[in-house]
Amino acid sequence: MASIIQALPTEVVYLITAGEVIDCFASVVRELVENSLDAGATRIVISVWPQSWRVRVADNGWGMNLDDLQQAATAHSTSKIHSAADLWKIKSLGFRGEALHSLTTLADLEIFSRAEGINEGWRVIYGDSGEVLETEVTAIAPGTIVTVDNLFANCPARRQGLPNSTQQMKSVQGIIQQIALCHPHVTYQVWQNDRQWFTLYPTSSVSQLIPQILPQVKQGDLKELNLEIPNSQSTITLVIGLPDRCHRHRPDWVKVAINGRIIKSPELEQTILSAFHKTLPRDRYPVCFLHLTISPDQINWNRNPSKTEIYLNEISYWQEQITAAINQALRISEANIKESVHTTRISKLLKVAEAKGSYNFKSQDNSQNTDSKTQNYLKAVAQVSNTYIIAEHSGGMWLVEQHIAHERVLYEQICDNWQIVPVETPIILYQLSPAQVSQLQRINLDIETFGEKLWAVRNIPAMLQQREDAAEALLELSWGGDLQTAQVAVACRSAIRNGTPMSLPEMQKLLDDWQRTRNPLTCPHGRPIYLSLEESALSRFFRRHWVIGKSHGI
Ligand code: ADP
Ligand code: MG
């Protein structure tokens, strides 16, 4: 692709938010890597030498011819937009034509480039207002190598104002990871002081990339959804950490990207956090990466120079879409039960074997009733230790803890239908502190003194109505917390205890109710509800492929 770099017309320059684009090491890396991506690169090598304030980014993108090289670093020169109207059609990461120019004023800039389909490459050295100082033919592979040296050498105050080099290298690493999350199909090879530092290998989906960035997270701990929004050419890519498998002690992995760049969007971040409400342990935060691809005319990138803040049209529409997507990802569906089986080679072998062999066990093809919405994926098989239900499904089996599964069911019922109902005989409580009394009032209970150190409660949460231990439950509620904490406490108290024997129909009823909850993976305190024993893992453990391989000649 031939790009033609031109100076933007003055009236467009006036429209563009002016300001510092280069204020630290990481911003140099960001600008150069974004240029490489805009040039269609699939392989980017980033080298940093913090002590010599040098950065080099080499790519295999479509490069620049000599004319473009000579124009590249002059003020407001870009090949990406040409008019004011183009500001609403931005598909590239860059558009202001400022980065290379600013770099010439803050550092020494040298570019090697060879354009696609052209036999010679050029090396250009720029002066401190972007003018060309030296040009020579050079032998390089197609692509571009930009070297920035002596960064901020002419403004020592700027250097002093920056954090130490370890901190700065952390931000460099962070920025590369952020870019990679939005562009995972590219190889990022990163060097520091002439030594390999880290590499991010290209992947076809973000959920394959995340374990390279967060080594404690495995791909199986994540769920990725790719949704197309009908009639809008928009897509949502959502990767969540399953709340029973991973979470963070800081909200540092609630990331929102729009059209190829991670942005700060307090509103959308809050939407994500709310969608995970009561699925995680206390003070823990989800792992969630959200990438919206939206028609460029819906976004104004031109709000601040670093492009991390934007104006997005119809934000509440997007908030609804995001909540729905997260809810979908958190649910148990036939698709995610079967996934593990269908993707492993072993299961394919098993299928072949079972189709041919005489030891074909019960077929679990329930395709006949796929149209029924209330389909049950789980079959109660047995109870273990009066605590766990063995639930069989088409992909293996799960061990479900009965108390917390029931707690999840009740909690959602309570949230949807919280009712305080009158009781015939008041419940008498003893020796409450003033704080306990006002706590019970705060959750709308009708409580009054009944005598010395005695109180009468005349109404209670509906769920506690039939219970003999209602007084104890009320005491528990009096210990504080907001309405939600009270709802969790009521659910917990009303849920079937571990140690209680259950009949098969009772277990089946519980499984049916539980698999239809909005957040089946964890209880409202954030504990995992089930342990999965996938067929693929079982067959691997029992080495079933040995027999099959031999007897069927596979
Ligand atoms: P912008 O990215 O906003 O256009 P820059 O100052 O970053 O402005 O770059 C100026 C121009 O130089 C770009 O529009 C592009 O045409 C060209 N350019 C910069 N880096 C590269 C690269 N790695 N490969 C090809 N062209 C590049
Ligand atoms: Mg740029």
Side-chain angles (χ1 to χ4, degrees), residues 254 265-277 290 315-316 318-324 326:
V254 176
S265 171
E267 295 102 329
L268 299 184
E269 284 158 24
Q270 193 48 51
T271 304
I272 293 173
L273 289 172
S274 310
F276 279 89
H277 181 68
L290 172 80
I315 188 135
S316 54
W318 291 109
Q319 288 176 311
E320 279 167 31
Q321 300 295 321
I322 293 163
T323 307
I326 295 177

Side-chain angles (χ1 to χ4, degrees), residues 540-554:
R540 202 174 310 133
F541 176 79
F542 290 112
R543 314 281 197 274
R544 286 169 73 183
H545 52 291
W546 285 5
V547 183
I548 296 155
K550 275 190 197 132
S551 59
H552 292 77
I554 300 172

Side-chain angles (χ1 to χ4, degrees), residues 28-46:
V28 177
V29 170
R30 180 193 65 214
E31 292 298 323
L32 298 182
V33 173
E34 288 191 347
N35 280 347
S36 299
L37 291 169
D38 279 345
T42 55
R43 190 176 177 83
I44 302 177
V45 182
I46 301 138

Side-chain angles (χ1 to χ4, degrees), residues 337 341 364 391-398 533-536 538:
I337 282 180
V341 177
Q364 278 151 8
E392 184 185 2
H393 60 72
S394 54
M397 64 178 118
W398 289 351
L533 296 165
E534 301 301 335
E535 181 58 39
S536 51
L538 293 176

Side-chain angles (χ1 to χ4, degrees), residues 296-517:
D297 62 1
Q298 299 291 303
I299 311 165
N300 185 350
W301 283 111
N302 199 18
R303 181 172 170 172
N304 84 341
S306 68
K307 302 174 196 152
T308 52
E309 289 167 35
I310 59 161
Y311 289 112
L312 179 64
N313 284 352
E314 297 183 65
I315 188 135
S316 54
Y317 171 79
W318 291 109
Q319 288 176 311
E320 279 167 31
Q321 300 295 321
I322 293 163
T323 307
I326 295 177
N327 288 345
Q328 184 182 335
L330 286 170
R331 286 221 169 123
I332 292 173
S333 66
E334 191 174 26
N336 56 38
I337 282 180
K338 280 192 164 171
E339 226 153 57
S340 53
V341 177
H342 285 246
T343 50
T344 65
R345 185 175 159 265
I346 288 171
S347 70
K348 282 184 199 134
L349 290 175
L350 270 173
K351 277 217 161 122
V352 174
E354 282 160 7
K356 286 188 195 165
S358 53
Y359 51 92
N360 193 359
F361 58 82
K362 195 175 86 221
S363 159
Q364 278 151 8
D365 182 13
N366 41 15
S367 53
Q368 298 96 331
N369 50 5
T370 40
D371 48 11
S372 123
K373 276 229 166 77
T374 52
Q375 197 184 125
N376 300 326
Y377 308 120
L378 300 171
K379 183 175 149 215
V381 178
Q383 190 189 26
V384 182
S385 308
N386 292 336
T387 300
Y388 305 105
I389 301 170
I390 297 183
E392 184 185 2
H393 60 72
S394 54
M397 64 178 118
W398 289 351
L399 220 46
V400 179
E401 203 206 281
Q402 65 193 39
H403 170 71
I404 51 175
H406 196 207
E407 189 179 319
R408 167 53 71 189
V409 171
L410 294 180
Y411 173 69
E412 293 193 4
Q413 284 172 2
I414 290 172
C415 291
D416 294 344
N417 190 15
W418 176 252
Q419 268 184 315
I420 307 280
V421 293
V423 279
E424 272 171 28
T425 24
I427 298 166
I428 307 300
L429 301 177
Y430 306 89
Q431 294 193 323
L432 297 179
S433 69
Q436 284 175 290
V437 174
S438 54
Q439 163 67 13
L440 290 175
Q441 283 164 342
R442 190 165 31 207
I443 57 170
N444 290 327
L445 298 189
D446 183 3
I447 176 167
E448 55 194 41
T449 34
F450 194 63
E452 180 117 353
K453 295 187 181 162
L454 287 181
W455 283 264
V457 180
R458 298 183 191 280
N459 57 9
I460 59 171
M463 199 133 294
L464 298 175
Q465 217 173 351
Q466 307 298 333
R467 299 189 63 98
E468 285 166 10
D469 61 353
E472 285 165 47
L474 287 178
L475 271 182
E476 199 177 321
L477 294 183
S478 75
W479 291 118
D482 53 11
L483 181 62
Q484 280 158 359
T485 317
Q487 291 173 334
V488 174
V490 171
C492 181
R493 179 159 282 271
S494 316
I496 184 162
R497 301 275 158 88
N498 286 335
T500 315
M502 291 179 83
S503 68
L504 268 183
E506 283 169 337
M507 290 190 277
Q508 188 61 49
K509 167 88 174 60
L510 174 54
L511 291 179
D512 294 349
D513 291 345
W514 166 63
Q515 70 188 359
R516 280 194 287 268
T517 55

Side-chain angles (χ1 to χ4, degrees), residues 5 35 39 59 64 77-80 94-100 144:
I5 304 182
N35 280 347
D59 67 55
M64 284 174 272
S77 289
T78 178
S79 56
K80 301 171 192 174
F95 63 89
R96 297 197 176 108
E98 271 181 308
L100 294 183
T144 303

